[in-house]
Coordinates of all heavy atoms in Angstrom, one line a residue:
P1 N 55.5 -11.9 47.8 CA 55.8 -12.6 46.5 C 55.3 -11.9 45.3 O 55.9 -12.0 44.2 CB 55.1 -14.0 46.7 CG 54.2 -13.8 47.9 CD 54.7 -12.7 48.7
F2 N 54.2 -11.2 45.4 CA 53.6 -10.5 44.3 C 54.5 -9.3 43.8 O 54.7 -9.1 42.6 CB 52.2 -9.9 44.6 CG 51.2 -11.0 44.8 CD1 50.7 -11.2 46.1 CD2 50.8 -11.8 43.8 CE1 49.8 -12.2 46.3 CE2 49.9 -12.8 44.0 CZ 49.4 -13.0 45.3
R3 N 55.1 -8.6 44.7 CA 56.0 -7.5 44.4 C 57.2 -8.1 43.6 O 57.7 -7.4 42.7 CB 56.5 -6.8 45.6 CG 55.4 -5.9 46.2 CD 55.9 -5.0 47.3 NE 54.8 -4.2 47.8 CZ 54.9 -3.3 48.6 NH1 56.1 -3.0 49.1 NH2 53.9 -2.6 49.0
M4 N 57.7 -9.3 44.0 CA 58.9 -9.9 43.3 C 58.5 -10.2 41.9 O 59.4 -10.2 41.0 CB 59.3 -11.1 44.1 CG 59.9 -10.7 45.5 SD 60.2 -12.0 46.6 CE 61.2 -13.1 45.8
E5 N 57.3 -10.5 41.6 CA 56.8 -10.8 40.3 C 56.4 -9.5 39.5 O 56.0 -9.6 38.4 CB 55.6 -11.7 40.3 CG 55.9 -13.1 40.9 CD 54.7 -14.0 41.0 OE1 53.6 -13.6 40.4 OE2 54.8 -15.0 41.6
G6 N 56.5 -8.4 40.1 CA 56.2 -7.1 39.5 C 54.7 -6.8 39.6 O 54.2 -5.9 38.8
R7 N 54.0 -7.4 40.5 CA 52.6 -7.1 40.7 C 52.4 -6.6 42.1 O 52.8 -7.2 43.0 CB 51.7 -8.3 40.4 CG 51.8 -8.8 39.0 CD 50.9 -10.0 38.7 NE 50.2 -10.6 39.9 CZ 49.9 -11.8 40.0 NH1 50.3 -12.7 39.2 NH2 49.2 -12.2 41.1
L8 N 51.7 -5.5 42.2 CA 51.4 -4.9 43.5 C 50.1 -5.3 44.1 O 49.9 -5.3 45.3 CB 51.5 -3.4 43.5 CG 52.9 -2.8 43.1 CD1 52.8 -1.3 42.9 CD2 53.9 -3.2 44.1
G9 N 49.1 -5.4 43.2 CA 47.8 -5.7 43.7 C 46.8 -5.1 42.7 O 47.1 -4.8 41.6
D10 N 45.5 -5.1 43.1 CA 44.5 -4.6 42.2 C 43.9 -3.3 42.8 O 43.8 -3.1 44.0 CB 43.3 -5.6 42.1 CG 43.8 -6.9 41.5 OD1 44.5 -6.8 40.5 OD2 43.3 -8.0 42.0
L11 N 43.4 -2.4 41.9 CA 42.7 -1.2 42.3 C 41.3 -1.3 41.7 O 41.2 -1.7 40.5 CB 43.4 0.0 41.8 CG 44.7 0.4 42.3 CD1 45.3 1.7 41.6 CD2 44.6 0.6 43.8
M12 N 40.3 -1.1 42.5 CA 38.9 -1.1 42.0 C 38.4 0.3 42.3 O 38.5 0.8 43.4 CB 38.1 -2.2 42.7 CG 38.7 -3.6 42.4 SD 37.7 -4.8 43.3 CE 36.2 -4.8 42.4
I13 N 37.8 0.9 41.3 CA 37.2 2.2 41.4 C 35.7 2.1 41.0 O 35.3 1.5 40.0 CB 37.8 3.2 40.4 CG1 39.3 3.2 40.5 CG2 37.2 4.6 40.4 CD1 40.0 4.2 41.3
C14 N 34.9 2.6 41.9 CA 33.4 2.6 41.7 C 33.0 3.8 40.9 O 33.2 4.9 41.4 CB 32.7 2.5 43.1 SG 30.9 2.6 42.9
L15 N 32.6 3.6 39.7 CA 32.3 4.8 38.8 C 31.2 5.7 39.4 O 31.4 6.9 39.3 CB 32.0 4.3 37.4 CG 31.8 5.3 36.3 CD1 33.1 6.2 36.2 CD2 31.4 4.7 35.0
P16 N 30.1 5.2 39.9 CA 29.1 6.1 40.5 C 29.7 6.9 41.6 O 29.4 8.1 41.7 CB 28.0 5.2 41.0 CG 28.1 3.9 40.1 CD 29.6 3.8 39.9
V17 N 30.5 6.4 42.5 CA 31.1 7.1 43.6 C 32.1 8.2 43.0 O 32.1 9.3 43.4 CB 31.9 6.2 44.6 CG1 32.7 7.0 45.6 CG2 30.8 5.3 45.3
L18 N 32.9 7.8 42.0 CA 33.8 8.7 41.4 C 33.1 9.9 40.8 O 33.4 11.0 41.1 CB 34.6 8.0 40.3 CG 35.6 8.8 39.4 CD1 36.7 7.9 38.9 CD2 34.9 9.5 38.3
K19 N 32.0 9.6 40.1 CA 31.2 10.7 39.5 C 30.6 11.6 40.5 O 30.6 12.8 40.4 CB 30.2 10.1 38.5 CG 30.8 9.6 37.3 CD 29.7 9.0 36.4 CE 30.2 8.5 35.1 NZ 30.4 9.6 34.1
A20 N 30.0 11.0 41.6 CA 29.4 11.8 42.7 C 30.4 12.7 43.4 O 30.1 13.8 43.7 CB 28.7 10.9 43.7
Q21 N 31.6 12.1 43.7 CA 32.6 12.9 44.4 C 33.1 14.0 43.5 O 33.3 15.2 43.9 CB 33.8 12.0 44.8 CG 33.5 11.1 45.9 CD 34.6 10.2 46.4 OE1 34.4 9.5 47.3 NE2 35.8 10.2 45.7
A22 N 33.3 13.8 42.2 CA 33.8 14.8 41.3 C 32.7 15.9 41.2 O 33.1 17.1 41.3 CB 34.0 14.2 39.9
R23 N 31.5 15.5 41.1 CA 30.4 16.5 41.0 C 30.3 17.4 42.3 O 30.2 18.6 42.2 CB 29.1 15.8 40.7 CG 27.9 16.7 40.4 CD 26.7 16.0 40.0 NE 26.3 14.8 40.8 CZ 26.5 13.5 40.4 NH1 26.9 13.2 39.2 NH2 26.2 12.5 41.2
S24 N 30.4 16.7 43.4 CA 30.3 17.5 44.7 C 31.5 18.4 44.9 O 31.3 19.4 45.6 CB 30.1 16.5 45.9 OG 31.4 15.8 46.1
L25 N 32.6 18.1 44.3 CA 33.8 18.9 44.5 C 34.0 19.9 43.3 O 34.9 20.7 43.4 CB 35.0 18.0 44.7 CG 35.0 17.2 45.9 CD1 36.0 16.1 45.9 CD2 35.3 18.1 47.1
G26 N 33.2 19.8 42.3 CA 33.2 20.7 41.2 C 34.4 20.6 40.3 O 34.8 21.5 39.7
H27 N 34.8 19.3 40.1 CA 35.9 19.1 39.1 C 35.6 18.0 38.2 O 34.7 17.2 38.5 CB 37.3 19.0 39.8 CG 37.4 17.8 40.7 ND1 37.8 18.0 42.0 CD2 37.3 16.5 40.6 CE1 37.9 16.8 42.6 NE2 37.6 15.9 41.8
P28 N 36.3 17.9 37.1 CA 36.0 16.8 36.1 C 36.2 15.4 36.7 O 37.0 15.2 37.5 CB 37.0 17.1 35.0 CG 37.5 18.4 35.2 CD 37.4 18.7 36.6
D29 N 35.4 14.4 36.1 CA 35.6 13.0 36.5 C 37.0 12.6 36.3 O 37.6 11.8 37.1 CB 34.7 12.1 35.6 CG 33.2 12.4 35.9 OD1 32.9 13.1 36.8 OD2 32.4 11.8 35.1
E30 N 37.7 13.1 35.3 CA 39.1 12.7 35.0 C 40.0 13.1 36.1 O 41.0 12.3 36.5 CB 39.6 13.3 33.7 CG 38.9 12.7 32.5 CD 37.5 13.4 32.2 OE1 37.1 14.4 32.9 OE2 36.9 13.0 31.2
K31 N 39.8 14.2 36.7 CA 40.7 14.7 37.8 C 40.4 13.8 39.0 O 41.4 13.4 39.7 CB 40.4 16.1 38.2 CG 41.2 16.7 39.3 CD 40.9 18.1 39.5 CE 41.7 18.7 40.7 NZ 41.4 20.1 40.9
E32 N 39.2 13.4 39.3 CA 38.8 12.5 40.4 C 39.5 11.2 40.2 O 40.0 10.6 41.1 CB 37.3 12.4 40.6 CG 36.9 11.6 41.8 CD 37.3 12.3 43.1 OE1 37.7 13.5 43.2 OE2 37.3 11.6 44.2
L33 N 39.4 10.7 39.0 CA 40.1 9.4 38.7 C 41.6 9.5 38.9 O 42.1 8.5 39.6 CB 39.8 9.0 37.2 CG 40.5 7.7 36.7 CD1 40.0 6.5 37.6 CD2 40.2 7.5 35.3
D34 N 42.2 10.5 38.5 CA 43.7 10.7 38.8 C 43.9 10.6 40.3 O 44.8 9.9 40.8 CB 44.2 12.0 38.3 CG 44.3 12.1 36.8 OD1 44.2 11.0 36.1 OD2 44.4 13.2 36.3
I35 N 43.1 11.3 41.1 CA 43.3 11.4 42.6 C 43.1 10.0 43.2 O 43.9 9.5 44.0 CB 42.3 12.4 43.2 CG1 42.7 13.8 42.8 CG2 42.3 12.2 44.7 CD1 41.7 14.9 43.1
L36 N 42.0 9.3 42.7 CA 41.8 7.9 43.3 C 42.8 6.9 42.9 O 43.2 6.1 43.7 CB 40.4 7.5 42.8 CG 39.2 8.3 43.4 CD1 37.9 7.8 42.7 CD2 39.1 8.1 44.9
L37 N 43.3 7.0 41.7 CA 44.4 6.1 41.2 C 45.7 6.3 42.0 O 46.3 5.4 42.4 CB 44.6 6.2 39.7 CG 43.5 5.7 38.8 CD1 43.8 6.0 37.3 CD2 43.4 4.2 39.0
V38 N 46.1 7.6 42.1 CA 47.3 7.9 42.9 C 47.1 7.4 44.3 O 48.1 6.8 44.9 CB 47.7 9.4 42.8 CG1 48.7 9.7 43.8 CG2 48.1 9.7 41.4
H39 N 46.0 7.7 44.9 CA 45.8 7.3 46.3 C 45.9 5.8 46.5 O 46.5 5.2 47.4 CB 44.4 7.8 46.8 CG 44.1 7.6 48.2 ND1 44.5 8.4 49.2 CD2 43.5 6.6 48.8 CE1 44.2 7.9 50.4 NE2 43.5 6.8 50.2
G40 N 45.2 5.1 45.6 CA 45.2 3.6 45.6 C 46.6 3.0 45.4 O 47.0 2.1 46.0
L41 N 47.3 3.6 44.4 CA 48.7 3.1 44.1 C 49.6 3.3 45.3 O 50.4 2.4 45.7 CB 49.2 3.9 42.9 CG 50.7 3.5 42.5 CD1 50.8 2.0 42.2 CD2 51.1 4.3 41.3
L42 N 49.5 4.5 46.0 CA 50.3 4.7 47.2 C 50.0 3.6 48.3 O 50.9 3.1 49.0 CB 50.1 6.1 47.7 CG 50.7 7.2 46.9 CD1 50.3 8.6 47.4 CD2 52.2 7.1 46.9
H43 N 48.7 3.3 48.4 CA 48.4 2.2 49.4 C 49.0 0.9 48.9 O 49.6 0.2 49.8 CB 46.8 2.0 49.4 CG 46.1 2.8 50.4 ND1 46.4 2.8 51.8 CD2 45.2 3.8 50.2 CE1 45.6 3.6 52.4 NE2 44.9 4.3 51.5
L44 N 49.0 0.6 47.6 CA 49.7 -0.7 47.2 C 51.2 -0.6 47.4 O 51.8 -1.7 47.6 CB 49.4 -0.9 45.7 CG 47.9 -1.2 45.3 CD1 47.8 -1.3 43.8 CD2 47.5 -2.5 45.9
L45 N 51.7 0.5 47.4 CA 53.2 0.7 47.7 C 53.5 0.6 49.2 O 54.7 0.7 49.6 CB 53.7 2.0 47.1 CG 53.7 2.0 45.6 CD1 54.0 3.4 45.0 CD2 54.7 1.0 45.0
G46 N 52.5 0.6 50.0 CA 52.7 0.4 51.5 C 52.4 1.6 52.3 O 52.5 1.6 53.5
F47 N 51.9 2.7 51.7 CA 51.5 3.9 52.5 C 50.2 3.6 53.1 O 49.3 3.0 52.5 CB 51.4 5.1 51.6 CG 52.8 5.6 51.1 CD1 53.3 5.2 50.0 CD2 53.5 6.6 51.9 CE1 54.6 5.6 49.5 CE2 54.7 7.1 51.4 CZ 55.2 6.6 50.2
D48 N 50.0 4.1 54.3 CA 48.7 3.9 55.0 C 48.4 5.1 55.9 O 49.0 5.2 57.0 CB 48.7 2.6 55.8 CG 47.3 2.3 56.3 OD1 46.4 3.1 56.2 OD2 47.1 1.2 56.9
H49 N 47.5 6.0 55.5 CA 47.2 7.2 56.3 C 46.4 6.9 57.5 O 46.3 7.8 58.4 CB 46.4 8.2 55.4 CG 45.2 7.6 54.8 ND1 43.9 7.6 55.3 CD2 45.0 6.9 53.6 CE1 43.1 7.0 54.6 NE2 43.7 6.5 53.5
E50 N 45.9 5.7 57.7 CA 45.2 5.3 58.9 C 46.0 4.8 60.0 O 45.5 4.6 61.1 CB 44.1 4.3 58.5 CG 43.1 4.9 57.5 CD 41.9 3.9 57.2 OE1 41.9 2.8 57.8 OE2 41.1 4.3 56.4
K51 N 47.3 4.7 59.8 CA 48.2 4.3 60.8 C 48.6 5.4 61.9 O 49.0 5.1 62.9 CB 49.5 3.7 60.2 CG 49.4 2.4 59.6 CD 50.8 1.9 59.1 CE 50.7 0.5 58.5 NZ 52.0 0.1 58.0
G52 N 48.4 6.6 61.5 CA 48.7 7.7 62.4 C 49.0 9.0 61.6 O 49.0 9.0 60.4
K53 N 49.2 10.1 62.4 CA 49.4 11.4 61.8 C 50.6 11.5 60.9 O 50.6 12.1 59.9 CB 49.4 12.4 62.9 CG 48.1 12.7 63.6 CD 48.2 13.8 64.6 CE 46.9 14.0 65.3 NZ 46.9 15.0 66.3
K54 N 51.7 10.9 61.4 CA 52.9 10.9 60.6 C 52.8 10.2 59.3 O 53.2 10.8 58.3 CB 54.1 10.3 61.5 CG 55.4 10.3 60.8 CD 56.5 9.6 61.6 CE 57.8 9.6 60.9 NZ 58.8 8.8 61.6
E55 N 52.2 9.1 59.3 CA 52.0 8.3 58.1 C 51.0 9.0 57.1 O 51.2 9.1 55.9 CB 51.5 6.9 58.4 CG 52.5 6.0 59.1 CD 52.5 6.2 60.6 OE1 51.9 7.1 61.1 OE2 53.3 5.5 61.2
A56 N 50.0 9.7 57.7 CA 49.0 10.4 56.9 C 49.7 11.6 56.2 O 49.4 11.9 55.0 CB 47.8 10.9 57.7
K57 N 50.5 12.3 57.0 CA 51.2 13.4 56.4 C 52.2 13.0 55.3 O 52.2 13.7 54.3 CB 52.0 14.1 57.5 CG 52.6 15.4 57.1 CD 53.3 16.1 58.3 CE 53.8 17.5 58.0 NZ 54.4 18.2 59.1
E58 N 52.9 11.9 55.5 CA 53.8 11.4 54.4 C 53.0 11.0 53.2 O 53.4 11.3 52.1 CB 54.6 10.2 55.0 CG 55.6 9.7 54.0 CD 56.7 10.6 53.7 OE1 56.9 11.6 54.4 OE2 57.5 10.3 52.7
M59 N 51.9 10.3 53.4 CA 51.1 9.9 52.2 C 50.5 11.1 51.5 O 50.5 11.1 50.3 CB 50.0 8.9 52.6 CG 49.3 8.3 51.5 SD 48.2 6.9 52.1 CE 47.4 6.5 50.5
A60 N 50.0 12.1 52.3 CA 49.5 13.3 51.7 C 50.5 14.0 50.9 O 50.3 14.6 49.8 CB 48.9 14.2 52.8
R61 N 51.7 14.0 51.4 CA 52.8 14.7 50.7 C 53.1 14.1 49.3 O 53.3 14.7 48.3 CB 54.1 14.7 51.6 CG 55.2 15.5 51.0 CD 56.5 15.7 51.9 NE 56.6 14.6 52.9 CZ 56.5 14.8 54.2 NH1 56.2 16.0 54.7 NH2 56.7 13.9 55.1
W62 N 53.1 12.7 49.3 CA 53.3 12.0 48.1 C 52.2 12.2 47.1 O 52.3 12.3 45.9 CB 53.6 10.5 48.3 CG 55.0 10.3 48.6 CD1 55.6 10.1 49.9 CD2 56.1 10.3 47.7 NE1 57.0 10.0 49.7 CE2 57.3 10.1 48.4 CE3 56.2 10.4 46.3 CZ2 58.5 10.0 47.8 CZ3 57.4 10.4 45.7 CH2 58.6 10.1 46.4
E63 N 50.9 12.2 47.6 CA 49.8 12.4 46.8 C 49.9 13.8 46.0 O 49.8 13.9 44.8 CB 48.5 12.5 47.6 CG 47.9 11.2 47.9 CD 46.5 11.4 48.6 OE1 46.2 12.5 49.1 OE2 45.8 10.4 48.6
A64 N 50.2 14.8 46.8 CA 50.4 16.2 46.2 C 51.5 16.2 45.2 O 51.4 16.8 44.2 CB 50.5 17.2 47.3
R65 N 52.6 15.5 45.6 CA 53.8 15.5 44.7 C 53.5 14.8 43.4 O 53.8 15.4 42.3 CB 54.9 14.8 45.4 CG 56.2 14.9 44.8 CD 57.2 14.3 45.8 NE 58.6 14.6 45.3 CZ 59.6 14.1 45.9 NH1 59.5 13.3 47.0 NH2 60.8 14.3 45.5
V66 N 52.9 13.7 43.4 CA 52.6 12.9 42.2 C 51.5 13.6 41.4 O 51.6 13.7 40.1 CB 52.1 11.5 42.5 CG1 51.6 10.8 41.3 CG2 53.3 10.7 43.2
L67 N 50.5 14.2 42.0 CA 49.4 14.8 41.3 C 49.8 16.2 40.8 O 49.1 16.7 39.9 CB 48.2 14.9 42.2 CG 47.5 13.5 42.5 CD1 46.5 13.7 43.6 CD2 46.8 13.0 41.2
G68 N 50.8 16.8 41.4 CA 51.1 18.2 41.1 C 50.1 19.1 41.6 O 49.9 20.2 41.0
L69 N 49.4 18.7 42.6 CA 48.3 19.6 43.2 C 48.7 19.9 44.6 O 49.5 19.3 45.2 CB 47.0 18.8 43.2 CG 46.5 18.2 41.9 CD1 45.3 17.3 42.2 CD2 46.1 19.3 41.0
G70 N 47.9 20.7 45.2 CA 48.0 21.0 46.6 C 47.1 20.2 47.5 O 47.2 20.2 48.7
L71 N 46.2 19.4 46.8 CA 45.1 18.8 47.6 C 44.8 17.4 47.1 O 44.2 17.2 46.1 CB 43.9 19.6 47.6 CG 42.8 19.4 48.6 CD1 43.4 19.6 50.0 CD2 41.6 20.2 48.4
G72 N 45.3 16.4 47.8 CA 45.0 15.0 47.4 C 43.8 14.5 48.3 O 43.2 15.3 49.0
L73 N 43.6 13.2 48.2 CA 42.4 12.7 48.9 C 42.5 12.8 50.4 O 41.6 13.1 51.1 CB 42.3 11.2 48.5 CG 41.0 10.5 48.9 CD1 39.8 11.1 48.2 CD2 41.1 9.0 48.5
I74 N 43.7 12.6 50.9 CA 43.9 12.7 52.4 C 43.7 14.1 52.9 O 42.9 14.4 53.8 CB 45.3 12.2 52.8 CG1 45.4 10.7 52.5 CG2 45.5 12.5 54.3 CD1 46.8 10.2 52.6
D75 N 44.3 15.1 52.2 CA 44.1 16.5 52.6 C 42.7 16.9 52.4 O 42.2 17.7 53.3 CB 45.1 17.4 51.8 CG 46.5 17.3 52.2 OD1 46.8 17.1 53.4 OD2 47.4 17.5 51.3
R76 N 42.1 16.5 51.4 CA 40.7 16.8 51.1 C 39.8 16.3 52.3 O 38.9 17.0 52.7 CB 40.3 16.2 49.8 CG 39.0 16.7 49.3 CD 38.8 16.2 47.8 NE 38.5 14.8 47.8 CZ 38.5 14.1 46.7 NH1 38.9 14.7 45.5 NH2 38.2 12.9 46.7
A77 N 40.0 15.1 52.7 CA 39.2 14.5 53.8 C 39.5 15.3 55.1 O 38.5 15.5 55.8 CB 39.5 13.0 54.0
K78 N 40.7 15.6 55.4 CA 41.0 16.4 56.6 C 40.4 17.7 56.6 O 40.1 18.3 57.6 CB 42.5 16.4 56.8 CG 43.2 15.2 57.2 CD 44.6 15.3 57.6 CE 45.4 16.0 56.6 NZ 46.9 16.1 56.8
S79 N 40.3 18.3 55.4 CA 39.7 19.7 55.4 C 38.2 19.7 55.4 O 37.6 20.8 55.4 CB 40.2 20.4 54.1 OG 39.5 19.9 52.9
G80 N 37.6 18.6 55.4 CA 36.2 18.5 55.5 C 35.5 18.6 54.1 O 34.3 18.7 54.0
S81 N 36.3 18.6 53.0 CA 35.8 18.7 51.7 C 35.4 17.4 51.1 O 34.8 17.3 50.1 CB 36.8 19.3 50.7 OG 37.2 20.6 51.2
E82 N 35.7 16.3 51.8 CA 35.4 15.0 51.3 C 33.9 14.7 51.5 O 33.4 14.7 52.6 CB 36.2 13.9 52.1 CG 36.1 12.5 51.6 CD 36.5 12.4 50.1 OE1 37.5 13.0 49.8 OE2 35.8 11.6 49.4
K83 N 33.3 14.3 50.4 CA 31.9 14.0 50.5 C 31.7 12.7 49.7 O 32.0 12.6 48.5 CB 31.0 15.0 49.8 CG 31.1 16.3 50.6 CD 30.3 17.4 49.9 CE 30.5 18.7 50.6 NZ 30.1 19.9 49.8
G84 N 31.3 11.6 50.3 CA 31.0 10.4 49.6 C 32.0 9.4 49.9 O 33.0 9.1 50.2

């Protein structure tokens, strides 16, 4: 019913975690915010990387596409670069 009303859900971002992750990965807080927002939005749209490899690959592909990067949150976690 929420989608029919034009609402997908809520995203909550923990600022201390965002800042710690950005610092550990050596990029600006703004870039980390972009990554977290895109990742969360994809979840709200129904993507779920925890359902299996196929789903994770599809979600990672959309993350990279939307962000214009080669490395979204899913790929980062798989590569062992995820800290926090």
